[in-house]
Amino acid sequence: MTILDDPRLAELNARVKQDLDYLNYPPANWSPALSEVDGKPVSDVVIIGGGMCGLVAWFALNRVGIRNLRIVDRAARGKEGPWKTYARMETLRSPKNLLGPAHGMASLTFRAWYTALYGVSAWEELFRIPRPMWMDYLDWYREVLSIPVENGTHVTRIVPREDGLLELEIAGGADPSILTRKLVMATGRDGLGAADIPDFVRGMQRHKSWAHSSDEIDFEALKGKRVVVIGVGASAVDNAAEALENGAGEVRLLARRKKMPTINKLMGIGSYGVTAGFPEISPEWRWRIMDYSTKQQTPAPHNSTLRVSRHPNAYFHFDCGIQSMREEGSEVIITTMNGRVFRTDFVILGTGFTVDPLARSELSPYRDKIACWEDRITPPPGEKNPSLGRFPWLDDDFSFTEKEPGMAPWLKDIHCFNYGATMSLGKVSGDIPAISEGAAWLARGVAARLFIRDIDHHWQALLDYEKPELDGSEWVDADADLPEQKTA
């Protein structure tokens, strides 16, 4: 039985269908179809990523009449995104009433889905959305909209062709490639970078002595063991809690800061004005806002932190930047900048992710030609932030731009609809609150560029259109029976 077959959802499913009908969905495809090239069909758009970003991008593109598209994901069904893989928080950070990927439809909200399943009283009592439940909701969203995600399809290389198309290499060439005119990288938090691995673990055995918070970790194997978690951000705290709940002997969180961050600064200006206005303010202002917020650091949620501190064998250590780390027999020896030494059995890095186009193998033939913020702006001395400099400098349709004009003109056809767009366009392509707004911008931009590219086709269609609105029976020419006037 699929999630759509749950009888509790029957009324909501019917409502979604009716809402879509009333919105004239799906509209007719207006983009001229290309004939096959090299024996392969050509898509107008291919979306890489079947998680939240990819699903709402697919829906937004369909709603504006771009129907010749595909959506692929390398993960197995149900494993798209972090929700049932490496995310380890009990509940989402976002408030339960945010609209998320509903894209303007009340019947597609999490609230509509949850209330249909559990009732209004349960909704009122719900504090935050349980993490696995968010994935269940996305599964329903995918099913009720009939989004045809092609799972197990791993794009390993994006190759520009001389004919203007993009060729997507699949599984290193093991499967037939895909041709498309445009590409959307809806690849989530790490979609334009990689896990941030500090130099101090270099030479140590991954998975035996250490792991990153985004790795698969056998927490049961940590029962009775000493564990050190590097960092006190959300991912660090969630992984510490997971280790404690699986019976770790002790868990120590080492933070380089002297105090625990307690204020989520960006919450102070959260509004539609920020969403709409961020891409419009000067690059200098965008840099200043993001530099300030990242240096303040976003604290872990209240309930996540309590999930750790309720354990008597959990310890928070501050002013403990890491100087060195080494293996000694079965132990890991950690020396901090202030001279403290910790001996442990296993280390978990809660160090987050980098954003850097140079880290993406899919873009390897030309990734050094992608313009980044460090190529466009020199921040004042007090606002230097190398990590922000590696964010790509995007156009308003999320497309990459060239470091030097003419170096890689095809970059305009690759759209960065993931966390990498944050510096250029704000938090509209990764986080839940404004994801539908970002999808609408993406759809508008892609539609505009496709129309402009095919302007000759549309001009000819305008010239060729001959369907009459009137057949001559709707009026009488008052002068038709008058004698013909002769001119001198």
Side-chain angles (χ1 to χ4, degrees):
M1 182 177 79
T2 69
I3 196 166
L4 277 186
D5 297 325
D6 191 317
R8 296 174 294 175
L9 292 171
E11 185 177 340
L12 178 60
N13 295 339
R15 196 169 110 212
V16 171
K17 183 179 185 304
Q18 184 181 70
D19 288 347
L20 292 172
D21 287 342
Y22 286 178
L23 291 169
N24 301 320
Y25 177 89
N29 184 75
W30 52 265
S31 182
L34 292 179
S35 58
E36 289 189 348
V37 174
D38 298 338
K40 299 174 184 176
V42 178
S43 299
D44 280 329
V45 184
V46 170
I47 301 168
I48 301 176
M52 179 182 68
C53 292
L55 296 177
V56 70
W58 185 93
F59 184 40
L61 289 165
N62 267 268
R63 283 191 68 174
V64 298
I66 300 175
R67 306 283 306 284
N68 178 24
L69 73 164
R70 295 171 67 174
I71 176 170
V72 303
D73 196 293
R74 66 182 179 183
R77 177 69 189 266
K79 298 292 186 181
E80 304 91 350
W83 312 111
K84 291 188 177 180
T85 53
Y86 64 83
R88 297 181 176 114
M89 61 283 210
E90 289 182 314
T91 67
L92 303 193
R93 182 185 211 113
S94 301
K96 65 181 182 180
N97 58 351
L98 292 182
L99 303 182
H103 201 46
M105 288 181 55
S107 57
L108 278 179
T109 60
F110 175 85
R111 181 176 184 174
W113 175 82
Y114 183 90
T115 304
L117 286 173
Y118 305 108
V120 174
S121 295
W123 169 259
E124 297 297 335
E125 295 173 2
L126 182 67
F127 167 59
R128 290 277 171 87
I129 300 170
R131 169 183 49 79
M133 186 178 284
W134 182 254
M135 187 66 204
D136 294 338
Y137 159 69
L138 292 177
D139 282 341
W140 168 79
Y141 180 100
R142 166 178 170 170
E143 288 291 325
V144 79
L145 291 175
S146 301
I147 301 178
V149 179
E150 301 173 39
N151 287 97
T153 304
H154 184 192
V155 176
T156 51
R157 194 69 57 85
I158 303 163
V159 182
R161 292 166 47 112
E162 291 185 1
D163 58 9
L165 300 176
L166 297 170
E167 184 161 8
L168 311 184
E169 175 190 85
I170 307 298
D175 295 325
S177 60
I178 297 173
L179 299 181
T180 186
R181 303 173 77 194
K182 283 191 164 288
L183 179 72
V184 174
M185 296 181 69
T187 41
R189 181 61 181 82
D190 62 338
L192 201 70
D196 190 358
I197 308 298
D199 288 341
F200 54 70
V201 298
R202 185 174 298 170
M204 295 174 55
Q205 301 175 72
R206 192 168 189 167
H207 303 299
K208 180 179 181 297
S209 298
W210 68 275
H212 188 268
S213 61
S214 63
D215 291 339
E216 289 188 17
I217 300 174
D218 183 359
F219 284 96
E220 291 183 2
L222 300 179
K223 185 174 183 178
K225 299 290 184 68
R226 299 165 299 173
V227 178
V228 164
V229 177
I230 307 299
V232 288
S235 65
V237 166
D238 291 330
N239 277 266
E242 197 79 12
L244 289 161
E245 290 165 0
N246 278 273
E250 68 171 32
V251 174
R252 298 183 182 275
L253 296 92
L254 307 188
R256 66 184 176 209
R257 291 174 177 269
K258 294 185 178 182
K259 294 181 180 179
M260 176 77 91
T262 59
I263 300 172
N264 185 353
K265 282 289 188 175
L266 283 179
M267 290 284 288
I269 57 170
S271 69
Y272 182 76
V274 175
T275 300
F278 188 85
E280 303 296 327
I281 59 177
S282 69
E284 290 75 18
W285 264 114
R286 279 177 274 174
W287 183 279
R288 177 177 294 178
I289 290 170
M290 293 306 298
D291 173 65
Y292 176 75
S293 64
T294 56
K295 286 177 179 175
Q296 295 298 308
Q297 189 177 354
T298 301
H302 172 76
N303 55 309
S304 294
T305 308
L306 287 177
R307 185 182 167 202
V308 172
S309 61
R310 71 169 63 107
H311 294 269
N313 55 336
Y315 307 91
F316 292 84
H317 299 275
F318 299 95
D319 194 20
C320 284
I322 307 302
Q323 179 176 318
S324 66
M325 194 179 294
R326 61 185 173 85
E327 295 166 321
E328 187 176 285
S330 61
E331 289 187 317
V332 176
I333 313 300
I334 302 170
T335 304
T336 68
M337 295 292 186
N338 60 13
R340 297 189 66 179
V341 176
F342 295 87
R343 307 179 79 92
T344 190
D345 300 307
F346 195 75
V347 175
I348 299 174
L349 303 178
T351 47
F353 298 90
T354 62
V355 171
D356 186 355
L358 290 176
R360 302 306 303 187
S361 61
E362 305 100 304
L363 306 172
S364 59
Y366 44 84
R367 56 193 177 189
D368 59 334
K369 297 179 173 61
I370 296 173
C372 293
W373 272 70
E374 65 188 16
D375 302 313
R376 297 288 189 265
I377 185 172
T378 301
E383 297 176 8
K384 291 186 181 301
N385 195 326
S387 63
L388 295 184
R390 297 306 301 149
F391 276 74
W393 181 279
L394 303 180
D395 209 339
D396 60 5
D397 63 349
F398 296 87
S399 61
F400 291 112
T401 59
E402 303 169 87
K403 188 175 294 187
E404 297 291 341
M407 290 178 67
W410 58 82
L411 288 173
K412 68 181 182 298
D413 293 322
I414 305 177
H415 302 260
C416 178
F417 192 61
N418 55 48
Y419 183 74
T422 302
M423 281 297 296
S424 294
L425 297 167
K427 294 192 172 187
V428 294
S429 55
D431 292 348
I432 292 170
I435 189 66
S436 287
E437 189 71 25
W441 297 355
L442 174 73
R444 182 183 183 279
V446 170
R449 301 307 185 272
L450 286 175
F451 177 79
I452 292 168
R453 180 178 299 184
D454 298 324
I455 190 62
D456 290 338
H457 167 88
H458 297 297
W459 171 248
Q460 191 60 47
L462 175 63
L463 296 178
D464 293 344
Y465 187 73
E466 296 290 347
K467 182 179 178 180
E469 286 286 330
L470 305 175
D471 61 14
S473 64
E474 297 88 356
W475 77 94
V476 174
D477 184 347
D479 298 322
D481 295 331
L482 293 178
E484 184 176 347
Q485 300 274 336
K486 291 186 178 181
T487 58

